[in-house]
Amino acid sequence: MTVPIWAWAAVLGVILAMLAIDLAAHRRTHVVGVREALAWSGVWVALGLAFGAVVWWAWGAEFAGQYFAGYVIEKSLAVDNVFVFAIIFGYFAVPREHQHRILFYGVIGALVFRAVFIAAGSALIASFAWILYVFGAFLVITGIRMARHRDETVDYERNAVLRVFRRTVPSTDRYHGKKFLVRQGGRWVATPLLTVLVLIEVTDVVFAVDSIPAIFAVTQEPFLVFTSNAFAVLGLRAMYFLLADVMHRFVYLKLGLALVLVWVGVKMLLLDLYKIPTVLSLAVVGVILGTAFAASLLRTRATARPDA
């Protein structure tokens, strides 16, 4: 797959333009409602699908299939991010009107970290082909661990990152509107918003460690790995506001995501024995996630009733 420099520049231009539009649309501090989140989710999904159509037109069906497979995998793993974001926001009692601001900067950080990881992963694969087997084994192990520990909760008071941050950065426990830093006693101190942003960024790095190898399982084209990640991550904020209030219903989602990681890990381990077709790989991911969502909604249907 040959990708000219201008194509990379065009993609980056579109991403920056959409971020600017999103920032302008949400420049006023307010609570993002379900209707607004649904509208923006539609915009981001349409953008991701439209780019897949461009890939199909420019490079053919096989590369388009690889892009869509990567997009679906990253989009599904992003739902797990939403779980963690909801827990962090709830733990620190972040006002809803400031959550979009944190997620906006979180998405920018996620795009930067993913670009670095993709560049590093591509360089490793180009130099050491056997690293794909390491990625595959890592995904299988990660999927098994996720399945075994899917019901565990995180105690953020014992979180190493939070403890280091609080020891090294002067902080206040009071919110000061949308400010990340305020002056108190003649010095700058961090508000809880900055503390939460740091945890969000670290969470993005942790999830990137899982998602980037997973996408390398369906394509080793850096352009497709980056764009499928980028267009999926761009919709993360809208997805959060759309799903945050109903996350308790997705009781089997962690198990479904664990199976997806195991599946793509096995696919990677079988590269030299049998190359699983992209369409089949995408279909299996779709069946796993569809089953997890359907089973979750059936299991929790009583909690969705007003009289439950």
Side-chain angles (χ1 to χ4, degrees), residues 3-17 51 59 223 226-227:
V3 182
I5 295 296
W6 65 262
W8 281 96
V11 168
L12 293 176
V14 169
I15 292 172
L16 292 175
F51 184 79
W59 290 283
F223 185 71
F226 175 73
T227 52

Side-chain angles (χ1 to χ4, degrees), residues 65 69 72 260 263 276-291:
V72 170
V260 168
W263 164 250
I276 298 174
T278 302
V279 174
L280 176 59
S281 180
L282 183 57
V284 171
V285 171
V287 169
I288 292 173
L289 294 175
T291 302

